[in-house]
Each structure stands twice: as C-alpha cells, then as structure tokens.
Amino acid sequence: MASPSVPAGEEVYGVTTLELFFDLVFVFAVTQLSHVLVKELNVLGLVQVVLMFGVLWWMYGGYAWLTNTLTPTTAARRLLLLVGMGGFFMVALATPTAFKGGGVVWGLGYLVLVLAHVTLYAQGNPNILRVLPANLLAAALIIVAGILDHGPAVYVLWTLALVVPIVQPYIVPAGGLFTIQPAHIVERHGLLVMITIGESVIAVGAGAEHAHLDAGLVVAVLLGLALAAAVWWSYFARDDERAEAALSAADDVRRTQMTMFGYFYAHIPLVVGIIVAAAGMGTAVGHAWDGLHTGPALALAGGVALYLAGDVAFRRTVRIGPSRIRLGAAAAALAVTPLGLWLAAAEIAALVLVIAAALALEHAATRPDAAVPGLGQSSGD
C-alpha cells in the first residue's frame, strides 16, 4: 500500500465524485458482509467477516492512498479506477458464498482489484511493484481456498491472504517518501465512515420491515436511529477538524505513521464495530420488546464497544484526545449485553445513553485550548 510523493506538477484535489462512486461499491461489499453476519451470527460467521473485511480493507486503503496523491482526473486514470470498481463488485457478489463455493469468483475479483491498482499506482511510483508479489499471492491464496471450498485449510489460506500483504512491506520496503494530503485522507475516511453508519440505518429499516406497525415499533425504530446518530456524533463532532489539524502539523514521516496507524489499523475495529452492531441492530429492532438470543445481543453491544475501542486507538494515534472516557464507554457498552437478553429495546436505549454520557463528560472535561492539537491537549487524556 505504498504511496508515492506527489508527482511534479500534480495538483492537489479534494475527494472527487469518482472516489465517492468507488466508495459506494466498496460499501456495497461491506453491506454484503453484514448480511453474512446476520445469517451466521456466531463465532464462525464473525471469523469469516473479519477475514474478508481485512483483505478488502487492505486494498481499499491502497486505493485511498493512491487517489490521495494521484488524482483520477484523466480518462485513463478514471477508466482504471472503474476497472477496480468492477473488481470490488465481483467481490461483493461473491461475499455471501465466499466460504461456500464462491471463493473463486471472490479471488478473481480481488485479482482485478490488485492489477488495476498496481497499473495506476505505477504511473506515480514504480516502487509499488515491490509489493505486487504479496498482493498477487493473496489473490491466488483466495482462489485456491475457493477451489478447496471447505475445511480448515480454507481458513488457513484466507488468514495467509490477510497477513502476507500486511507483513511484506516491513520485510521488503516499498521505498519512496510517503506524502499524505491531510484534508483528502480525513475527508475520504470520514465519508466512508458516514456511508458505513448508513448501513445501521438500513439495518433499522430492514429489522422493521416484517414487524407490525404500531407504537412499539415506532419507538424501537427511533431508538435504533438514535443509536446510529450517537455513533455519528461521536465521530464527527469536530474530530475530523482536529485530525486534519494534527496531520497538517506533523512532518512527512510522522504524518505517514499517523495515517497508517490511525486511518488504516485503528479504523479496522472502528468500521467492523459499526458493521457488527448493524447486524445486531436488525434483529433487535425486529424483536424490540422481546429478549434476544446471546448472539444478536452480543453483536449489538459488542459492536458498539468495538467501534469505541477503535475510536480510542484512532484518537490516541492522531493525538486528538481525550480518549479515556471513550475507553470507559467501550467497557460500559459491552456490559449492557445482558439487558438485551431481557429486552432488546432496553439494550438499544442503554447504548444510546452510554455514548451520550461519554460525549457529555468529554464536553465538560475538554478545555477551550484543546480544540487544536499542540495547544496543551495531552494525547494520553
């Protein structure tokens, strides 16, 4: 996922509409993952989703860093990005059956993603060819797993497909200076999180689809919407502005590290948490006034806790604290799981209160000079 320096004469752009179009296809793949989790709301289903998401997230990060420095403003670049979108769509279509006969198509779609990515990236930085073997190997491992179709070996191959590309750059450095455009990287990932939160709204609607329309359902839907809004508020209440300021203030090396660990690694639990919570949300809204089984109750509370834990890691990495309050909120969110076993609506309401209380405590604890990193706010808060 190497990123080149900005080529001489390359104009810096904000997020383009083509990138948003690309993200819509990626989020469709994410939506497919949540559907897998709804059908397989157990440990095995979670393992499958984590493996697929991890592999996809690696390549999504590659495309985000690519367009951060090599903007899709020419016909050739746009066509290559559209080819990559086609690969993502193949992956999305195969996701529900990736571990049940669809692995070959999934792997072929990923191969298209890899080839389109390297072809476009090499125009700005030929050093990307150093990490190409690992990405090609990942695609091959998934194709072989699809051919095997079932058994423990399939999970081993998928795990290798996730780990090999991530480890390879540390063994064979890609070379070249990373040059991150802060405004673009913050906006791109913010829009992705926004679209992912939208999946929670869709889950609320899907959960209510077959339920009887009465006062109880309306209350349940509004509680579900309130939880999605609370997650939105916790991420977008000036954190994007602070993150951009922090990245802009850092030198190139530090900015690259902050982007890698803040927007790539820390956003994995952050985004996966939203997906997992959305899966639990669909079931919880549809059975709001009944007790949930352990799986949906844990998915809802655990997803919110995982999101908050990822947000803590993100805020610490880019130094936009406070974060200790959110760490406590993550523990509190997980602790409300038993409420869902008694009454689903009570669990949703409790999670809304947990996030709202955390935000209120942060507002009370944040000093006026803490709005911009470097003005006295400690990263360990």
Side-chain angles (χ1 to χ4, degrees):
M1 196 173 61
S3 177
S5 300
V6 178
E10 180 77 15
E11 185 177 354
V12 177
Y13 287 80
V15 176
T16 64
T17 54
L18 181 56
E19 290 172 83
L20 293 178
F21 190 14
F22 185 94
D23 287 357
L24 287 174
V25 177
F26 172 72
V27 171
F28 173 60
V30 171
T31 302
Q32 293 287 78
L33 289 174
S34 69
H35 292 169
V36 170
L37 195 58
V38 167
K39 294 179 181 178
E40 297 282 347
L41 202 50
N42 50 46
V43 174
L44 189 61
L46 182 60
V47 169
Q48 293 176 3
V49 166
V50 168
L51 288 173
M52 287 188 284
F53 177 82
V55 174
L56 278 178
W57 185 250
W58 171 256
M59 191 49 62
Y60 175 81
Y63 274 91
W65 284 43
L66 163 63
T67 55
N68 183 257
T69 54
L70 197 69
T71 52
T73 54
T74 67
R77 293 179 186 179
R78 289 169 176 168
L79 286 173
L80 282 170
L81 205 57
L82 289 169
V83 170
M85 289 169 58
F88 258 130
F89 214 91
M90 289 175 63
V91 166
L93 291 176
T95 290
T97 57
F99 288 81
K100 299 176 182 177
V104 173
V105 175
W106 209 104
L108 290 174
Y110 194 75
L111 179 61
V112 171
L113 272 171
V114 169
L115 294 176
H117 177 261
V118 73
T119 302
L120 183 53
Y121 224 146
Q123 296 178 18
N125 184 5
N127 286 323
I128 191 64
L129 296 174
R130 297 187 185 184
V131 299
L132 176 62
N135 290 335
L136 290 176
L137 178 58
L141 288 169
I142 295 170
I143 292 171
V144 173
I147 293 172
L148 293 178
D149 193 34
H150 64 277
V154 170
Y155 291 88
V156 172
L157 291 171
W158 269 92
T159 301
L160 290 173
L162 172 60
V163 172
V164 169
I166 295 176
V167 171
Q168 195 263 356
Y170 296 99
I171 300 173
V172 183
L177 178 66
F178 292 88
T179 302
I180 302 298
Q181 306 300 326
H184 179 278
I185 209 73
V186 171
E187 182 183 4
R188 182 74 186 269
H189 286 83
L191 289 170
L192 176 66
V193 171
M194 183 68 255
I195 297 172
T196 308
I197 292 174
E199 173 61 19
S200 298
V201 178
I202 293 172
V204 170
E209 185 177 1
H210 301 295
H212 178 65
L213 183 57
D214 55 17
L217 180 62
V218 172
V219 171
V221 167
L222 291 178
L223 283 173
L225 182 60
L227 182 56
V231 171
W232 169 84
W233 201 305
S234 68
Y235 186 91
F236 290 101
R238 299 185 64 194
D239 279 7
D240 49 349
E241 298 174 6
R242 294 177 179 179
E244 183 178 340
L247 290 175
S248 297
D251 60 33
D252 285 337
V253 174
R254 176 60 181 157
R255 184 184 303 160
T256 298
Q257 293 173 343
M258 292 167 71
T259 303
M260 172 63 79
F261 288 97
Y263 282 98
F264 181 75
Y265 290 115
H267 270 62
I268 292 175
L270 193 152
V271 174
V272 170
I274 297 174
I275 296 171
V276 172
M281 179 78 75
T283 302
V285 170
H287 302 83
W289 306 105
D290 299 313
L292 295 172
H293 293 298
T294 302
L298 185 58
L300 181 55
V304 172
L306 185 60
Y307 158 76
L308 289 169
D311 197 34
V312 167
F314 164 65
R315 289 162 67 87
R316 284 181 175 270
T317 300
V318 297
R319 301 177 65 85
I320 57 169
S323 59
R324 290 174 182 169
I325 293 172
R326 298 198 183 200
L327 190 59
L334 189 60
V336 307
T337 302
L339 277 179
L341 303 179
W342 169 61
L343 192 67
E347 182 179 8
I348 301 174
L351 291 170
V352 174
L353 290 175
V354 165
I355 298 177
L359 294 175
L361 289 171
E362 284 181 0
H363 181 74
T366 302
R367 299 187 302 273
D369 64 348
V372 179
L375 297 180
Q377 177 63 44
S378 169
S379 63
D381 285 347

